[in-house]
Amino acid sequence: MGIRRAEVHTEWHESSGAVKGLFRLGDAAENLRALLPEYAGRIKLVYMDPPFMTGDRFYMRVRVGAEQWRRGKGGMAIEAFQDRLSREAYLSMLREVLSLCRELLSDDGMIFVHIDYRAHPHVRLLMDELFGEDNLLNEIIWVYQTGGRSVRHFSRKHDVILFYRKGPEYDFNIDAVKAVPVKPRTNHMRRHVDPDGRVYRSVRVGGRVYTYYDDEPVAPSDVWQDLSHLQQKDPERTGYDAQKPLALLDRIVRCASRKGDWVLDPFAGSGTALEAAKRLGRNFIGIDKCPLTVNILRRRLAGADYRIECEAEPPRQAPVCEVSVCPGVGFYHIRLERFDVDLTGMPEGEALDAVDNWSAGYMKPEGYRVMAEFARSRREPQLLRELAVPAYAGELAICVSDVTGRSFYYALER
Ligand SMILES: C[S@@+](CC[C@H](N)C(=O)[O-])C[C@H]1O[C@@H](n2cnc3c(N)ncnc32)[C@H](O)[C@@H]1O
């Protein structure tokens, strides 16, 4: 059996799920422009969490080999992205991205732009100019408690999320995000218990009595203090520095889209918005220029019907890899024997330690179609060496992805 490098630009993942998705690896503006012919006026919700003009570099902690996965510790910190554009370059990039997002939004669509105190005043003015001051719905303050405390000024413990509509007929659904408050409102109110045993509070204002039941769902205000940021050891953590919590995106996706709508995140990072959309039955489109994100997305998007489009240069380094194909009862069993990658900084280990995830499937005219896949996890740290693929006519293929986010595709010549 021979093995031949294949230049793949589209990787298809199919499942029986109803959700459709697309992820494009590359520059936000460039890829948004490419989406216009098919998606202009069709996106219900844009969420974006661009860099914040911090001047910093951001990393991803990747686990190398079974031992690090098992312990959930150690690993290499690989640079994911730099947030070092000048203010001028940053705002010019954002202007282009926001204008394209506006074109992609449906007339009843909405956009949430997540920033912090540094970018906020500049982005607010930019949004007012592009979307119109009258279309600002909220300046949401997301308050969290994680991180250290400053002694030189008050600790900075909030982000700002600017929420605009595209036009007056927007489809906002507050009922979808009402929740029973953790602490009931007690201030200056009398406590009562009704004949059914339900606790309520009452207050008299201007001759009228207002009552509030403790177990009644309440809509959040524009100050969100009930959604915690990811903790150091949070099981949700993917290792991606700027990852946001799923609960935050769950609230945004619920109130600003409905099942079957399209949700777009042009700075998708670890894919939190895409996972929230998938879980809530929304279709999704994500873009990011960091290749490391693809390895995270293959884990987070499992169960959706999605494709990854990779405009990046195909990797040049040819790994050594042996694959045996045994036709079974209606299946091919594909075994991964070796995959050697020269990674600076990687500890000496087993030959397959550099493999983060791999899959097997078929080469099709539209790209590489994944039929079986495996990604290491804390539960399954050891690389599964064999994948079974239904025996169809067509060219068998595999994709092996290393811990740095490079994906190598091969067609298997039988
Ligand atoms: C703050 S992070 C997003 C984090 C994400 N919300 C999450 O939960 O993981 C910003 C992302 O923007 C990406 N990025 C920065 N400039 C970009 C550009 N011009 N085009 C595409 N992606 C870009 C970075 O690679 C990074 O992943």
Side-chain angles (χ1 to χ4, degrees):
M1 191 216 64
I3 180 162
R4 173 174 62 78
R5 280 287 302 280
E7 206 169 293
V8 167
H9 292 284
T10 309
E11 179 182 305
W12 298 77
H13 295 249
E14 275 185 353
S15 87
S16 49
V19 171
K20 292 191 286 290
L22 166 64
F23 176 78
R24 295 177 67 115
L25 182 63
D27 177 68
E30 217 171 276
N31 281 283
L32 289 169
R33 217 171 295 113
L35 292 174
L36 280 177
E38 195 177 342
Y39 292 98
R42 291 180 59 200
I43 305 292
K44 178 60 101 31
L45 162 66
V46 174
Y47 165 80
M48 68 167 78
D49 172 22
F52 293 172
M53 280 206 297
T54 59
D56 291 338
R57 296 169 198 273
F58 290 80
Y59 294 84
M60 175 169 169
R61 181 151 289 278
V62 299
R63 309 258 178 252
V64 184
E67 198 40 40
Q68 290 183 358
W69 272 102
R70 187 172 298 116
R71 284 190 288 127
K73 280 206 246 176
M76 296 196 297
I78 301 181
E79 187 173 298
F81 66 98
Q82 296 191 1
D83 178 13
R84 295 166 81 93
L85 292 179
S86 68
R87 184 187 296 164
E88 239 183 356
Y90 176 82
L91 290 173
S92 139
M93 179 276 287
L94 219 49
R95 171 181 288 277
E96 195 179 3
V97 168
L98 288 166
S99 309
L100 288 160
C101 285
R102 195 172 176 284
E103 280 188 69
L104 287 161
L105 276 174
S106 55
D107 290 342
D108 60 355
M110 288 148 276
I111 178 166
F112 291 73
V113 183
H114 189 148
I115 39 183
D116 76 358
Y117 68 95
R118 284 163 279 215
H120 171 227
H122 309 284
V123 178
R124 169 76 194 269
L125 291 176
L126 186 58
M127 288 296 290
D128 279 353
E129 180 195 329
L130 298 174
F131 282 77
E133 276 174 64
D134 293 346
N135 289 323
L136 171 69
L137 293 170
N138 287 120
E139 192 171 271
I140 297 162
I141 306 298
W142 174 40
V143 182
Y144 42 80
Q145 301 300 334
T146 46
R149 299 274 148 181
S150 173
V151 290
R152 297 181 62 79
H153 49 71
F154 297 112
S155 300
R156 295 166 181 143
K157 297 293 174 196
H158 79 278
D159 287 358
V160 181
I161 305 174
L162 299 173
F163 170 28
Y164 284 72
R165 62 185 184 187
K166 183 169 178 183
E169 303 297 325
Y170 64 109
D171 183 22
F172 182 62
N173 184 6
I174 191 76
D175 287 334
V177 290
K178 283 185 175 169
V180 176
V182 181
K183 276 200 217 141
R185 310 183 243 198
T186 54
N187 46 336
H188 311 302
M189 288 196 271
R190 289 185 58 193
R191 184 177 181 278
H192 314 265
V193 181
D194 79 2
D196 296 329
R198 289 175 68 202
V199 176
Y200 70 98
R201 322 265 162 175
S202 72
V203 63
R204 181 183 288 275
V205 181
R208 265 192 73 183
V209 176
Y210 294 85
T211 55
Y212 303 95
Y213 275 86
D214 281 7
D215 60 0
E216 200 154 5
V218 176
S221 74
D222 59 359
V223 180
W224 294 359
Q225 303 189 64
D226 54 333
L227 304 174
S228 123
H229 212 323
L230 296 177
Q231 307 294 323
Q232 208 62 37
K233 298 227 159 137
D234 207 300
E236 236 181 79
R237 270 197 188 275
T238 59
Y240 204 74
D241 259 358
Q243 182 183 348
K244 300 299 178 295
L246 200 50
L248 180 76
L249 272 300
D250 179 273
R251 178 170 292 172
I252 292 172
V253 172
R254 268 180 204 277
C255 68
S257 65
R258 294 176 193 267
K259 270 200 164 74
D261 283 342
W262 283 92
V263 173
L264 165 68
D265 183 347
F267 300 96
S270 69
T272 313
L274 313 187
E275 184 181 349
K278 178 196 86 170
R279 285 172 177 251
L280 294 168
R282 277 63 163 169
N283 300 316
F284 57 83
I285 301 177
I287 302 168
D288 203 286
K289 64 178 185 183
C290 170
L292 288 162
T293 58
V294 176
N295 282 346
I296 308 172
L297 294 176
R298 289 198 188 101
R299 292 174 169 86
R300 296 189 92 175
L301 302 182
D305 244 356
Y306 70 98
R307 64 183 203 270
I308 297 171
E309 288 190 358
C310 175
E311 298 297 330
E313 275 279 298
R316 262 157 233 199
Q317 187 185 351
V320 180
C321 168
E322 287 169 27
V323 181
S324 66
V325 183
C326 334
V329 196
F331 280 90
Y332 292 113
H333 295 268
I334 302 171
R335 194 171 164 78
L336 189 61
E337 298 291 359
R338 281 190 70 84
F339 181 73
D340 297 328
V341 188
D342 182 17
L343 290 178
T344 318
M346 197 183 94
E348 286 282 314
E350 289 177 27
L352 289 168
D353 277 357
V355 178
D356 179 79
N357 63 88
W358 75 292
S359 63
Y362 286 93
M363 293 306 275
K364 299 270 184 186
E366 66 273 18
Y368 166 63
R369 212 164 260 275
V370 175
M371 307 294 291
E373 58 189 313
F374 175 84
R376 292 183 200 264
S377 63
R378 258 198 107 177
R379 234 173 346 112
E380 287 184 279
Q382 201 68 46
L383 193 80
L384 183 69
R385 301 281 291 268
E386 198 163 284
L387 291 174
V389 171
Y392 298 148
E395 196 170 22
L396 265 180
I398 60 167
C399 169
V400 186
S401 301
D402 73 18
V403 292
T404 69
R406 292 178 299 182
S407 290
F408 302 89
Y409 298 88
Y410 303 93
L412 309 183
E413 292 160 342
R414 280 167 288 134

